[in-house]
């Protein structure tokens, strides 16, 4: 028994020497008011990892927990705390967790701070609030309500107007395109095609512009010949109209428009042979109407002669 007692004392002394020593320091804790911030700095002879904040903390609010590092590599903790009540407030002890756990539990010391009220407890006088400031040229409140009402009415009008226009656009417009020329549509289209080819846009590398003009020539011809606004319509819309009207070689017309769209919008660069193939098709398709017109004139002439 006499031998065990000295051994226990030695082990107790060694454990005391190996225990972590916790130190703490308060910063900016003088003359505190509600909402003022002060710091609790926690140091130890070993690197610190974190602290455990209890859920029962009601008189204070911990805004931030920062992990600081010294040049020597040792870490310590800084808590930014805000009091939310007045009077003599007691801050509880916090559990401190070292970087390397030795199985022991360590705590900071509880402390007390004085939070000074801004006004005396028996002061019940209400302080006048400063009147609301107005911006320069600020309008009366009823003007803003009126503007909001006008905006709402305008939005409703635009929505209803767009719906009405959408219903009208779904039907084919049977209006004759305005044209000052007395030439037949096929002749105007051939003249436009010759003028386009004379510009040599393909040789200049202007593929998009060339095919835009090709598509425009065909669309204007459709407007003059079949009397619907092809220039303002997409290829899909023209396809819907072609299903309702009889357009000569309608599928070839749609293929031509889709080819032009691919160059205009998909940045497709066709070969010279492909370009000439579609240009020749457009020319021959437009010229076919010249033959139809001549046959109609001969037929009407024969009837009149008879």
């Amino acid at each position: 028994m006499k031998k065990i007692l000295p051994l226990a004392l030695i082990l107790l002394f060694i454990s005391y020497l190996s225990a972590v020593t916790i130190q703490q320091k308060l910063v900016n804790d003088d003359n505190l008011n509600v909402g003022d911030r002060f710091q609790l700095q926690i140091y130890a002879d070993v690197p610190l990892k974190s602290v455990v904040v209890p859920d029962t903390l009601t008189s204070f609010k911990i805004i931030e927990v920062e992990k600081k590092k010294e040049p020597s590599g040792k870490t310590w903790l800084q808590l930014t705390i805000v009091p939310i009540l007045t009077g003599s407030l007691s801050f509880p002890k916090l559990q401190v967790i070292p970087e390397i756990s030795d199985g022991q539990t360590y705590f900071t010391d509880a402390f007390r701070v004085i939070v000074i009220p801004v006004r005396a407890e028996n002061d019940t006088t209400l302080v006048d609030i400063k009147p609301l400031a107005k911006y320069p040229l600020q309008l009366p409140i009823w003007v803003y309500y009126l503007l909001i009402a006008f905006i709402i009415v305008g939005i409703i009008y635009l929505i209803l107007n767009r719906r009405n226009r959408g219903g009208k656009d779904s039907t084919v417009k049977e209006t004759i395109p305005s044209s000052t020329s007395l030439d037949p549509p096929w002749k105007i289209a051939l003249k436009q095609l010759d003028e386009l080819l004379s510009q040599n846009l393909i040789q200049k590398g202007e593929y998009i512009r060339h095919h835009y003009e090709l598509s425009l020539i065909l669309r204007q011809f459709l407007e003059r010949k079949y009397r619907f606004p092809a220039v303002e319509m997409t290829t899909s819309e023209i396809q819907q109209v072609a299903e309702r009207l009889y357009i000569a070689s309608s599928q070839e017309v749609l293929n031509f428009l889709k080819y032009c769209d691919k160059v205009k919008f998909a940045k497709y660069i066709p070969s010279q042979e492909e370009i000439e193939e579609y240009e020749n098709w457009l020319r021959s398709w437009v010229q076919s109407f010249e033959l139809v017109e001549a046959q109609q004139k001969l037929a009407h002439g024969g009837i009149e002669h008879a």
Side-chain angles (χ1 to χ4, degrees):
M1 184 67 181
K2 293 181 179 180
K3 293 181 179 181
I4 296 177
L5 184 59
L7 182 60
L9 292 173
I10 293 173
L11 292 175
L12 182 62
F13 180 73
I14 293 174
S15 63
Y16 175 76
L17 293 177
S18 60
V20 177
T21 302
I22 303 295
Q23 298 178 347
Q24 64 189 56
K25 177 183 178 182
L26 292 178
V27 180
N28 299 325
D29 60 324
D30 296 331
N31 300 323
L32 290 176
N33 297 120
V34 173
D36 289 345
R37 298 187 179 190
F38 68 97
Q39 287 75 37
L40 171 61
Q41 298 177 350
I42 306 173
Y43 303 89
D45 49 3
V46 296
L48 298 180
K49 182 179 180 181
S50 62
V51 295
V52 178
V53 180
D55 297 334
T56 57
L57 197 64
T58 57
S59 301
F60 299 89
K61 178 69 175 178
I62 296 180
I63 302 300
E64 186 178 15
V65 178
E66 299 178 85
K67 191 174 181 181
K68 303 287 188 177
K69 189 172 184 180
E70 297 179 353
S72 61
K74 187 178 296 185
T75 56
W76 54 281
L77 303 174
Q78 176 173 284
L79 282 67
T80 301
I81 307 170
V82 174
I84 56 178
L85 297 177
T86 60
S88 179
L89 305 180
S90 177
F91 193 90
K93 60 182 180 180
L94 302 177
Q95 182 181 350
V96 182
I97 301 176
E99 288 280 359
I100 301 176
S101 176
D102 57 359
Q104 301 292 327
T105 304
Y106 302 98
F107 293 91
T108 61
D109 295 329
F111 59 89
R112 185 175 294 274
V113 294
I114 305 298
V115 181
I116 304 171
V118 178
R119 298 171 58 192
E121 294 182 0
N122 57 357
D123 186 3
T124 59
T125 304
L126 296 178
V127 179
D128 291 335
I129 299 176
K130 187 176 181 180
L132 295 175
K134 290 187 177 181
Y135 294 102
L137 304 179
Q138 183 174 348
L139 300 175
I141 188 65
W142 63 269
V143 177
Y144 295 101
Y145 287 123
L146 189 60
L147 290 175
I148 293 173
F150 275 120
I151 292 173
I152 294 175
V153 172
I155 293 174
I156 295 174
Y157 172 78
L158 290 175
I159 294 174
L160 296 176
N161 189 42
R162 180 171 295 181
R163 288 182 179 178
N164 293 333
R165 290 180 60 186
K168 294 179 181 179
D169 291 342
S170 61
T171 60
V172 179
K173 297 179 181 179
E174 297 293 337
T175 57
I176 302 175
S178 59
S179 175
T180 57
S181 175
L182 299 178
D183 292 332
W186 61 265
K187 193 169 186 179
I188 297 174
L190 288 177
K191 182 179 180 182
Q192 291 174 335
L193 181 59
D194 291 335
E195 292 176 353
L196 174 61
L197 296 180
S198 66
Q199 298 179 25
N200 297 320
L201 296 178
I202 296 299
Q203 287 74 10
K204 298 176 183 178
E206 299 184 25
Y207 290 90
I208 295 178
R209 181 183 171 189
H210 180 79
H211 288 81
Y212 172 83
E213 296 294 339
L214 277 179
S215 176
L216 183 61
I217 291 172
L218 178 56
R219 291 169 183 271
Q220 289 176 341
F221 175 82
L222 293 175
E223 280 200 2
R224 297 186 181 97
K225 180 64 179 178
Y226 297 100
R227 300 183 179 182
F228 69 95
V231 175
E232 302 175 3
M233 301 173 71
T234 64
T235 300
S236 299
E237 292 172 336
I238 293 176
Q239 183 174 1
Q240 295 176 2
V241 175
E243 294 173 354
R244 300 169 56 183
L245 300 177
Y246 174 74
I247 297 179
S249 304
S250 60
Q251 189 57 51
E252 295 180 7
V253 170
L254 294 173
N255 291 339
F256 180 86
L257 292 174
K258 292 177 181 178
Y259 159 75
C260 292
D261 290 344
K262 185 166 65 171
V263 178
K264 292 189 295 180
F265 305 118
K267 298 182 179 179
Y268 171 70
I269 301 179
S271 63
Q272 183 65 36
E273 292 77 11
E274 188 176 10
I275 296 173
E276 292 178 356
E277 179 182 351
Y278 278 100
E279 290 173 347
N280 293 335
W281 173 87
L282 178 60
R283 182 180 296 277
S284 62
W285 182 74
V286 172
Q287 286 176 338
S288 66
F289 290 90
E290 179 184 7
L291 178 60
V292 172
E293 183 179 309
Q295 292 174 348
Q296 291 176 348
K297 287 183 178 180
L298 287 176
H300 287 296
I303 293 173
E304 292 176 357
H305 182 72

